[in-house]
Amino acid sequence: MHEWSIAESIVVSSAKIAQEHGASKVVKVYVKVGELSQLELEILKLATNELKREYDVLKNAEFLFEIEEAVFKCLSCGFTWNFTNVKKRINEVFCGSPDKECDNPVHYVPDLVNSFVKCPKCGSPDFEIVKGRGVYIAKIDFIK
Amino acid sequence: MKFYDPRDAIIKERFRNIKYTVLIGSGKGGVGKSTISAILALKLSREGFNVGLLDLDLHGPVIPEILGLENTEPEESKKGLVPPETLGVKVMSIGFFAKNEAIPLRGKAKTNAIKELLAITNWGSLDFLVVDLPPGTGDETLTSVESINGSKGALIVTIPSRISLSVVERAISLFSDLKVPILALINNMAYYVIAGERAFIIGEGNVFSLANKYNIEYVIEIPFDFKIAKALDENAPEKLLETEVAERIGKIVEILKSKVERRS
């Protein structure tokens, strides 16, 4: 259900951007969803389609979601790696097995990945999320 | 291309129905910010106000432990996460998510974590949101002040040592530069009463001089109070209200009352 809260932020933000640009009608909103946030795109689509009705300027807008792959870089040894490894670790810690998925804190606050995952090469917790962290609006098409 | 962070707009929405935000800061660690934050929130709630308590100490989130909520988790709703509630205070902390793990974050990641907490928490309508800031004058303080819109003021906590006062002055200077009014300077652990006499066991730094220098109207002196340690060790947050510390914090409640109208 966290997807509903995220959808609300996307809808509120889109309406604000439209207002700031003097748009009369928003046509398309392109949203990038970081892999690390583990958000379900189908629920995001459903939620944005329902919530957009509260704003006239968004009533006919199409929200397009695209997953952004997550990349991590160790600030200790420089090693880079992707989400597959991270996801297995998160599953292991919270769901009891690398292949079993369940609710976890990284879904809510992606930056907490540093609390539960280590660099696969040197074991350091000091790494950065290069990309694919959370949600952002990449582009909005509108009519003035 | 300019990317838009949807959290910025929703944070403004989340704070629309919060009448006044009280930032509890210091610059110095170990001066009692979290305990004072918790007691202030409990006192305000007992006075009949709708109160939230936000723990932004990313590296040492202890508010859940102080209030006996360490085994609690926020619940999901369609309008964001619902903060757990105890003794009339709604509480949110990164500690609910990180549990006992370290949170080894650097600058940008700290900012992201705080913005995420601000964006996902649905406080509903509040008279007061008390924010327990971490020590220091870095990312957490800057992000909080810049992201939290609406009326706000700061309470600065120190202990009476010369060393503490020199660190705390930096925090006062920062809040002044950020145009956040400082409501009071709290001199915590100011003295210990032995056989009716005050013993200044931590030091006798001139707290009043510092307050005068920055035109801070109120200095609240809080003595050592062993009932605090007892209440914390017993995991009995309601007993925090039966302490001399709570009585002294009553003065802050009086200062804050003028900021909002009481709920009906």
Side-chain angles (χ1 to χ4, degrees):
Chain A
M1 204 186 287
H2 181 49
E3 280 78 359
W4 279 84
S5 164
I6 299 293
E8 185 189 9
S9 71
I10 294 166
V11 167
V12 169
S13 193
S14 301
K16 185 171 174 281
I17 295 164
Q19 187 191 24
E20 284 171 359
H21 288 82
S24 64
K25 182 181 166 188
V26 172
V27 183
K28 284 181 179 171
V29 181
Y30 300 84
V31 184
K32 295 273 190 184
V33 180
E35 212 174 7
L36 183 59
S37 64
Q38 308 160 69
L39 292 161
E40 294 282 343
L41 296 195
E42 285 308 313
I43 305 176
L44 277 177
K45 280 179 198 167
L46 176 80
T48 44
N49 282 334
E50 188 174 317
L51 296 170
K52 72 181 185 183
R53 293 182 200 148
E54 292 175 31
Y55 299 89
D56 279 347
V57 73
L58 296 177
K59 267 184 181 161
N60 297 310
E62 186 182 1
F63 287 80
L64 301 164
F65 296 93
E66 189 185 345
I67 293 283
E68 183 180 72
E69 288 184 8
V71 173
F72 308 88
K73 183 181 180 184
C74 179
L75 296 171
S76 182
C77 73
F79 185 69
T80 61
W81 70 99
N82 63 24
F83 187 60
T84 309
N85 184 300
V86 170
K87 181 65 179 158
K88 282 186 175 172
R89 178 66 187 147
I90 291 172
N91 288 347
E92 204 174 342
V93 172
F94 295 100
C95 323
S97 154
D99 302 315
K100 190 178 166 191
E101 293 190 3
C102 66
D103 201 21
N104 62 77
V106 181
H107 173 51
Y108 301 99
V109 185
D111 313 280
L112 285 176
V113 68
N114 289 70
S115 296
F116 305 104
V117 173
K118 309 279 185 279
C119 168
K121 192 177 172 192
C122 74
S124 170
D126 186 15
F127 62 87
E128 66 175 345
I129 306 161
V130 179
K131 63 176 192 146
R133 179 200 165 279
V135 175
Y136 63 93
I137 297 170
K139 190 182 165 202
I140 291 195
D141 294 339
F142 54 78
I143 298 166
K144 285 221 176 187
Chain B
M1 186 190 292
K2 183 185 175 186
F3 295 141
Y4 295 95
D5 184 344
R7 293 176 300 181
D8 294 331
I10 198 70
I11 289 171
K12 282 197 168 61
E13 283 298 309
R14 302 273 187 235
F15 278 82
R16 194 180 292 281
N17 294 317
I18 296 174
K19 289 181 185 168
Y20 196 86
T21 301
V22 191
L23 302 162
I24 315 277
S26 172
K28 175 100 173 59
V31 295
K33 284 185 301 298
S34 298
T35 307
I36 287 173
S37 300
I39 295 174
L40 176 61
L42 293 172
K43 289 274 287 186
L44 285 165
S45 173
R46 186 164 277 191
E47 285 284 322
F49 293 104
N50 289 313
V51 184
L53 175 56
L54 174 61
D55 178 6
L56 284 187
D57 193 345
L58 298 181
H59 299 299
V62 293
I63 291 291
E65 276 77 12
I66 290 175
L67 293 177
L69 291 171
E70 59 269 43
N71 296 317
T72 312
E73 287 179 5
E75 285 188 16
E76 283 191 67
S77 79
K78 278 190 173 182
K79 290 280 185 180
L81 293 183
V82 180
E85 192 170 330
T86 184
L87 302 170
V89 177
K90 294 177 179 175
V91 181
M92 183 54 86
S93 168
I94 196 89
F96 289 137
F97 304 98
K99 300 299 177 188
N100 291 325
E101 298 293 332
I103 309 174
L105 301 181
R106 288 175 182 258
K108 189 179 151 196
K110 281 188 199 175
T111 300
N112 268 326
I114 289 173
K115 284 180 81 169
E116 207 69 40
L117 265 191
L118 296 175
I120 63 179
T121 308
N122 185 359
W123 295 102
S125 294
L126 294 180
D127 294 309
F128 292 105
L129 177 66
V130 178
V131 182
D132 179 22
L133 292 172
T137 50
D139 299 275
E140 295 94 327
T141 304
L142 292 171
T143 305
S144 315
V145 171
E146 286 160 8
S147 300
I148 296 172
N149 53 308
S151 300
K152 54 182 172 274
L155 292 168
I156 306 293
V157 184
T158 186
I159 54 175
S161 76
R162 187 175 61 84
I163 307 302
S164 173
L165 289 173
S166 76
V167 179
V168 165
E169 182 166 1
R170 295 193 185 105
I172 293 173
S173 175
L174 176 70
F175 279 107
S176 300
D177 290 344
L178 294 171
K179 313 285 184 232
V180 178
I182 296 171
L183 306 169
L185 182 58
I186 300 172
N187 185 16
N188 196 25
M189 308 178 216
Y191 54 85
Y192 178 55
V193 178
I194 305 172
E197 296 285 323
R198 287 184 177 190
F200 298 94
I201 54 180
I202 287 184
E204 288 187 83
N206 200 334
V207 180
F208 288 92
S209 168
L210 182 62
N212 283 338
K213 184 175 173 184
Y214 289 90
N215 294 317
I216 300 169
E217 192 177 352
Y218 298 100
V219 174
I220 315 286
E221 295 214 295
I222 297 180
F224 270 97
D225 186 347
F226 290 109
K227 283 185 180 171
I228 293 286
K230 196 163 183 286
L232 294 175
D233 284 348
E234 288 176 1
N235 200 7
E238 67 283 356
K239 289 188 178 173
L240 291 170
L241 288 168
E242 298 162 10
T243 59
E244 192 171 351
V245 176
E247 197 183 315
R248 299 295 176 101
I249 287 174
K251 175 66 185 169
I252 301 168
V253 172
E254 291 305 313
I255 296 167
L256 288 171
K257 272 183 184 175
S258 62
K259 306 290 180 190
V260 301
E261 287 174 20
R262 198 179 305 215
R263 72 186 175 207
S264 54

